[in-house]
Amino acid sequence: MTTTSAEAKRPGGARVAVQRFGTFLSGMIMPNIAAFIAWGFITALFIQVGPFPIPEIGGFPSPDGTENIGLVGPMITYLLPLLIANMGGRMVYDTRGGVVGTIATVGVIVGAGIPMFIGAMIMGPLAAWIMKQVDRLWEGKIKAGFEMLVNNFSAGIVGMLLALVGFYAFAPAVEAVSNGLEAAVNWLVLAGLLPLVSILVEPGKVLFLNNAINHGVFTPLGVQQSEETGKSILFLIEANPGPGLGILLAFAIFGVGLARASAPGAIIIQFLGGIHEIYFPYVLMKPLLIIAAIAGGMTGVATNVLFSSGLRAPAAPGSIFAVLIQTASDSYVGVILSVVLAATVSFVISAIILRASRKRDLEKENAGDLSAAIAQTQANKGKESSVLSGLQAEGVAAGAGLVAEGEQAAFEHKPIHSIVFACDAGMGSSAMGATVLRNKIKKAGIDSVTVTNKAIANLTDEVDLVITHQDLTERAKLQSPSALHVSVENFMNSPKYDEIVNLLESEGVR
């Protein structure tokens, strides 16, 4: 089991910076996905061409000619962008940042003629940061009894000024950028080049930028497109479960060792549960499989382009059930075919790759281990990594190589009472891993240890043990430098979970 003490070197690098920026973007969208889904349902059910047209809700004229505002328009124009702005402000400067960010974003919304999702994602955090800098000017200089007065008036004044700036200057600029991005997407669609986007999207997903790509880029553009046409193909570029399904099916049939044994369970979690992160380690184990993911993604996008199909709202998580629920009424054939064909293409290519390397894999000691992926990762880093070097093969018996000399002392230095699984969004793979370990700890009769899941951005330095996928460990260390860190390859069935339980029992934790 790989652990890292507080004295370990604080990691960084361009990759971590990109992941952090992507997580910041998706962090404004992910907590508000329920609002997007609610808007999608209301739009699908109650607009004039929906199955239950209600003028007062759908926002279309009543039979007597009365104009109705409805819910659809105000939700996409005001509710969704303001929720995004508030979340972005909170991420920068807590509640105070959220309030000021929301005030400033109203100016952007009113000053623009289109839904201001991109404007909200910029103005919300920016306004919060400005408020934070303003507060620092008189931090510790306010006389006792005047704190509330100064704080409220300063936030109100800054919010007012930023709302005016947003109305007169920021809104036109962001509107131009938004229109430019939409025009670029439309050009790609008309030119038949949109499938090429998968060349960037699929490798980005495997590097755990999936939430940033989907919710930070495609969701804002897709919602705007959906308002205009009733659907958007952008909701399916990243969320299509087909490519991952094909890769996992190939492992279930042609894989070896633990990879083959765990693939059927991973299929259920990925395809039905919508947690796409579950198949990323399989691709990292065989990097050549990224070709299968790209080809499958391109096939799915091309199919949707051909059939002009799309979703009404984001499919979150990317479960086949969520995809079908959000599918536009005229898009079922195209959407279903996009999933089936994407899975077929990725399966065929994955099967060829796995079959070609099957004999070599079987000859390896501990067949199906992840040593190749670890070596490649170290090569990419350009140096040896204590975290990667200590990783145990996923196929070893539980408890083997329990804790290296010196690591036991690290655990004794800081007793384990709280364990946190952390992933990019804090909802998918981390929740799954937390459930698995929580059940193992419960079966061992240990009641004093809490196991929870969080987004990496929400980690604090008060936790005792943090468990992450190896590609996310460096970012977790930045958030919780004094915690012990364990890197796993597979959140679903890592043998390190048994090692952690054995360690807790050896320390007498109950």
Side-chain angles (χ1 to χ4, degrees):
M1 181 165 61
T2 302
T3 59
T4 306
S5 65
E7 290 76 17
K9 182 180 178 181
R10 292 174 66 86
R15 181 182 181 185
V16 173
V18 171
Q19 286 184 334
R20 291 180 68 186
F21 178 70
T23 299
F24 184 81
L25 291 180
S26 64
M28 289 184 272
I29 303 290
M30 285 292 290
N32 298 311
I33 282 295
F36 283 86
I37 294 175
W39 172 79
F41 278 131
I42 292 173
T43 302
L45 295 174
F46 303 115
I47 59 175
Q48 194 165 8
V49 295
F52 309 105
I54 301 177
E56 294 78 10
I57 297 178
F60 56 91
S62 301
D64 60 2
T66 303
E67 294 291 335
N68 295 290
I69 297 177
L71 291 177
V72 177
M75 287 183 71
I76 192 173
T77 302
Y78 298 103
L79 175 65
L80 299 181
L82 291 178
L83 285 173
I84 293 171
N86 183 267
M87 183 56 61
R90 284 174 175 267
M91 292 169 67
V92 173
Y93 197 28
D94 204 20
T95 303
R96 188 169 174 80
V99 172
V100 176
T102 303
I103 296 171
T105 302
V106 172
V108 181
I109 293 172
V110 177
I114 59 176
M116 274 286 97
F117 293 98
I118 295 178
M121 295 175 72
I122 299 174
M123 180 56 88
L126 177 61
W129 181 83
I130 292 174
M131 187 71 252
K132 188 175 183 179
Q133 305 312 309
V134 171
D135 282 347
R136 286 180 176 176
L137 295 177
W138 47 71
E139 185 177 2
K141 301 176 183 179
I142 304 174
K143 292 184 178 181
F146 289 88
E147 293 88 354
M148 182 177 293
L149 180 67
V150 173
N151 287 338
N152 286 338
F153 270 84
S154 62
I157 293 171
V158 171
M160 176 196 68
L161 294 175
L162 290 176
L164 294 175
V165 171
F167 181 86
Y168 286 108
F170 202 74
V174 176
E175 185 174 2
V177 172
S178 183
N179 288 335
L181 291 173
E182 184 180 10
V185 171
N186 291 334
W187 179 81
L188 288 173
V189 173
L190 293 175
L193 299 177
L194 191 61
L196 295 180
V197 175
S198 296
I199 296 175
L200 300 176
V201 170
E202 296 302 329
K205 288 175 63 177
V206 174
L207 294 176
F208 287 84
L209 295 173
N210 52 314
N211 289 316
I213 293 170
N214 193 29
H215 301 301
V217 179
F218 292 140
T219 293
L221 293 176
V223 170
Q224 183 175 324
Q225 193 177 78
S226 180
E227 186 203 22
E228 299 171 356
T229 64
K231 61 186 177 183
S232 176
I233 190 176
L234 300 180
F235 292 136
L236 267 176
I237 292 179
E238 187 276 340
N240 190 332
L245 173 63
I247 291 172
L248 292 174
L249 281 173
F251 268 100
I253 298 174
F254 301 108
V256 297
L258 183 67
R260 180 176 183 178
S262 62
I267 289 173
I268 296 175
I269 294 171
Q270 187 265 345
F271 191 65
L272 302 182
I275 302 175
H276 289 205
E277 291 93 338
I278 192 68
Y279 81 86
F280 299 168
Y282 293 84
V283 178
L284 293 173
M285 190 191 313
K286 294 280 186 183
L288 199 59
L289 290 177
I290 196 63
I291 298 174
I294 292 173
M298 293 178 66
T299 301
V301 175
T303 303
N304 284 313
V305 171
L306 181 64
F307 284 86
S308 298
S309 52
L311 306 185
R312 291 182 295 253
S319 160
I320 186 61
F321 299 124
V323 168
L324 293 177
I325 289 173
Q326 296 294 1
T327 299
S329 58
D330 61 348
S331 298
Y332 282 101
V333 173
V335 169
I336 293 174
L337 277 178
S338 74
V339 176
V340 173
L341 293 179
T344 301
V345 170
S346 66
F347 169 77
V348 171
I349 297 176
S350 298
I352 294 173
I353 294 173
L354 292 177
R355 285 290 296 173
S357 61
R358 181 177 176 83
K359 182 178 180 181
R360 182 169 63 254
D361 290 341
L362 287 173
E363 290 174 350
K364 288 181 181 179
E365 185 179 2
N366 296 325
D369 66 20
L370 301 176
S371 58
I374 295 171
Q376 182 62 49
T377 303
Q378 288 180 326
N380 293 338
K381 288 169 67 71
K383 60 180 181 179
E384 291 291 325
S385 168
S386 60
V387 175
L388 293 174
S389 298
L391 282 173
Q392 298 294 321
E394 291 289 336
V396 300
L402 198 106
V403 181
E405 184 179 356
E407 292 176 346
Q408 180 69 46
F411 276 99
E412 291 175 348
H413 177 70
K414 187 174 184 179
I416 301 175
H417 298 294
S418 60
I419 301 175
V420 174
F421 277 77
C423 70
D424 190 42
M427 300 179 184
S429 53
S430 60
M432 177 182 62
T435 299
V436 173
L437 181 58
R438 191 181 298 116
N439 290 337
K440 288 181 176 291
I441 290 178
K442 184 178 180 181
K443 289 181 180 179
I446 300 174
D447 300 322
S448 61
V449 176
T450 61
V451 182
T452 57
N453 54 283
K454 287 184 178 181
I456 290 180
N458 295 332
L459 283 175
T460 66
D461 206 22
E462 299 175 356
V463 64
D464 301 324
L465 174 64
V466 178
I467 303 175
T468 54
H469 185 274
Q470 70 170 45
D471 285 351
L472 303 176
T473 302
E474 291 186 349
R475 286 168 53 204
K477 292 178 187 176
L478 294 174
Q479 297 294 119
S480 304
S482 66
L484 298 163
H485 290 265
V486 173
S487 300
V488 299
E489 286 283 353
N490 191 330
F491 275 113
M492 187 171 64
N493 55 4
S494 173
K496 293 184 178 64
Y497 299 159
D498 292 305
E499 296 176 25
I500 292 172
V501 173
N502 291 339
L503 185 61
L504 293 175
E505 290 178 331
S506 68
E507 291 184 341
V509 179
R510 286 297 173 196

mmCIF file of all heavy atoms in Angstrom, residues 252-268:
data_model
loop_
_atom_site.group_PDB
_atom_site.id
_atom_site.type_symbol
_atom_site.label_atom_id
_atom_site.label_comp_id
_atom_site.label_asym_id
_atom_site.label_seq_id
_atom_site.Cartn_x
_atom_site.Cartn_y
_atom_site.Cartn_z
ATOM 1 N N ALA A 252 -13.889 -8.107 -20.773
ATOM 2 C CA ALA A 252 -14.644 -9.223 -20.191
ATOM 3 C C ALA A 252 -14.465 -10.505 -20.997
ATOM 4 O O ALA A 252 -14.530 -11.608 -20.450
ATOM 5 C CB ALA A 252 -16.123 -8.858 -20.114
ATOM 6 N N ILE A 253 -14.215 -10.375 -22.304
ATOM 7 C CA ILE A 253 -14.094 -11.556 -23.163
ATOM 8 C C ILE A 253 -12.634 -11.912 -23.427
ATOM 9 O O ILE A 253 -12.250 -13.087 -23.380
ATOM 10 C CB ILE A 253 -14.818 -11.315 -24.497
ATOM 11 C CG1 ILE A 253 -16.321 -11.082 -24.234
ATOM 12 C CG2 ILE A 253 -14.627 -12.502 -25.435
ATOM 13 C CD1 ILE A 253 -17.100 -10.691 -25.471
ATOM 14 N N PHE A 254 -11.804 -10.915 -23.692
ATOM 15 C CA PHE A 254 -10.432 -11.178 -24.124
ATOM 16 C C PHE A 254 -9.373 -10.750 -23.111
ATOM 17 O O PHE A 254 -8.181 -10.935 -23.354
ATOM 18 C CB PHE A 254 -10.159 -10.457 -25.452
ATOM 19 C CG PHE A 254 -11.089 -10.869 -26.553
ATOM 20 C CD1 PHE A 254 -12.081 -9.998 -26.990
ATOM 21 C CD2 PHE A 254 -10.988 -12.115 -27.141
ATOM 22 C CE1 PHE A 254 -12.946 -10.360 -28.007
ATOM 23 C CE2 PHE A 254 -11.853 -12.493 -28.160
ATOM 24 C CZ PHE A 254 -12.834 -11.619 -28.591
ATOM 25 N N GLY A 255 -9.778 -10.161 -21.998
ATOM 26 C CA GLY A 255 -8.807 -9.725 -21.008
ATOM 27 C C GLY A 255 -8.221 -10.878 -20.220
ATOM 28 O O GLY A 255 -8.595 -12.043 -20.413
ATOM 29 N N VAL A 256 -7.301 -10.584 -19.323
ATOM 30 C CA VAL A 256 -6.691 -11.606 -18.478
ATOM 31 C C VAL A 256 -6.685 -11.118 -17.042
ATOM 32 O O VAL A 256 -6.805 -9.913 -16.767
ATOM 33 C CB VAL A 256 -5.243 -11.921 -18.929
ATOM 34 C CG1 VAL A 256 -5.222 -12.501 -20.327
ATOM 35 C CG2 VAL A 256 -4.375 -10.668 -18.861
ATOM 36 N N GLY A 257 -6.557 -12.058 -16.116
ATOM 37 C CA GLY A 257 -6.400 -11.727 -14.707
ATOM 38 C C GLY A 257 -7.557 -10.930 -14.130
ATOM 39 O O GLY A 257 -8.722 -11.114 -14.497
ATOM 40 N N LEU A 258 -7.217 -10.012 -13.238
ATOM 41 C CA LEU A 258 -8.223 -9.233 -12.541
ATOM 42 C C LEU A 258 -9.002 -8.328 -13.491
ATOM 43 O O LEU A 258 -10.182 -8.066 -13.284
ATOM 44 C CB LEU A 258 -7.557 -8.385 -11.453
ATOM 45 C CG LEU A 258 -8.508 -7.555 -10.591
ATOM 46 C CD1 LEU A 258 -9.382 -8.446 -9.725
ATOM 47 C CD2 LEU A 258 -7.731 -6.579 -9.731
ATOM 48 N N ALA A 259 -8.332 -7.862 -14.541
ATOM 49 C CA ALA A 259 -9.012 -6.990 -15.489
ATOM 50 C C ALA A 259 -10.215 -7.702 -16.104
ATOM 51 O O ALA A 259 -11.298 -7.120 -16.240
ATOM 52 C CB ALA A 259 -8.042 -6.548 -16.588
ATOM 53 N N ARG A 260 -10.042 -8.954 -16.467
ATOM 54 C CA ARG A 260 -11.150 -9.716 -17.048
ATOM 55 C C ARG A 260 -12.211 -10.020 -16.000
ATOM 56 O O ARG A 260 -13.414 -9.933 -16.281
ATOM 57 C CB ARG A 260 -10.623 -11.018 -17.640
ATOM 58 C CG ARG A 260 -11.711 -11.874 -18.270
ATOM 59 C CD ARG A 260 -11.134 -13.115 -18.921
ATOM 60 N NE ARG A 260 -12.167 -13.891 -19.592
ATOM 61 C CZ ARG A 260 -11.953 -14.996 -20.276
ATOM 62 N NH1 ARG A 260 -10.703 -15.455 -20.403
ATOM 63 N NH2 ARG A 260 -12.939 -15.645 -20.847
ATOM 64 N N ALA A 261 -11.769 -10.353 -14.804
ATOM 65 C CA ALA A 261 -12.726 -10.717 -13.758
ATOM 66 C C ALA A 261 -13.578 -9.531 -13.317
ATOM 67 O O ALA A 261 -14.752 -9.691 -12.961
ATOM 68 C CB ALA A 261 -11.977 -11.299 -12.560
ATOM 69 N N SER A 262 -13.000 -8.333 -13.329
ATOM 70 C CA SER A 262 -13.723 -7.166 -12.826
ATOM 71 C C SER A 262 -14.523 -6.438 -13.900
ATOM 72 O O SER A 262 -15.369 -5.611 -13.582
ATOM 73 C CB SER A 262 -12.738 -6.183 -12.189
ATOM 74 O OG SER A 262 -11.802 -5.724 -13.152
ATOM 75 N N ALA A 263 -14.264 -6.744 -15.166
ATOM 76 C CA ALA A 263 -14.922 -6.019 -16.256
ATOM 77 C C ALA A 263 -16.442 -6.133 -16.242
ATOM 78 O O ALA A 263 -17.133 -5.132 -16.467
ATOM 79 C CB ALA A 263 -14.351 -6.472 -17.598
ATOM 80 N N PRO A 264 -17.038 -7.323 -16.002
ATOM 81 C CA PRO A 264 -18.509 -7.389 -15.994
ATOM 82 C C PRO A 264 -19.147 -6.466 -14.964
ATOM 83 O O PRO A 264 -20.151 -5.807 -15.248
ATOM 84 C CB PRO A 264 -18.788 -8.868 -15.675
ATOM 85 C CG PRO A 264 -17.575 -9.588 -16.176
ATOM 86 C CD PRO A 264 -16.435 -8.674 -15.887
ATOM 87 N N GLY A 265 -18.571 -6.410 -13.774
ATOM 88 C CA GLY A 265 -19.101 -5.494 -12.763
ATOM 89 C C GLY A 265 -18.919 -4.048 -13.165
ATOM 90 O O GLY A 265 -19.779 -3.197 -12.921
ATOM 91 N N ALA A 266 -17.775 -3.777 -13.810
ATOM 92 C CA ALA A 266 -17.524 -2.416 -14.269
ATOM 93 C C ALA A 266 -18.523 -1.995 -15.337
ATOM 94 O O ALA A 266 -18.909 -0.828 -15.429
ATOM 95 C CB ALA A 266 -16.096 -2.298 -14.805
ATOM 96 N N ILE A 267 -18.958 -2.946 -16.161
ATOM 97 C CA ILE A 267 -19.953 -2.645 -17.201
ATOM 98 C C ILE A 267 -21.241 -2.145 -16.576
ATOM 99 O O ILE A 267 -21.849 -1.164 -17.036
ATOM 100 C CB ILE A 267 -20.213 -3.893 -18.066
ATOM 101 C CG1 ILE A 267 -18.996 -4.187 -18.945
ATOM 102 C CG2 ILE A 267 -21.460 -3.701 -18.931
ATOM 103 C CD1 ILE A 267 -19.094 -5.484 -19.712
ATOM 104 N N ILE A 268 -21.675 -2.810 -15.518
ATOM 105 C CA ILE A 268 -22.914 -2.399 -14.848
ATOM 106 C C ILE A 268 -22.783 -0.990 -14.298
ATOM 107 O O ILE A 268 -23.670 -0.146 -14.457
ATOM 108 C CB ILE A 268 -23.256 -3.399 -13.718
ATOM 109 C CG1 ILE A 268 -23.537 -4.784 -14.314
ATOM 110 C CG2 ILE A 268 -24.445 -2.901 -12.902
ATOM 111 C CD1 ILE A 268 -23.759 -5.862 -13.273
#
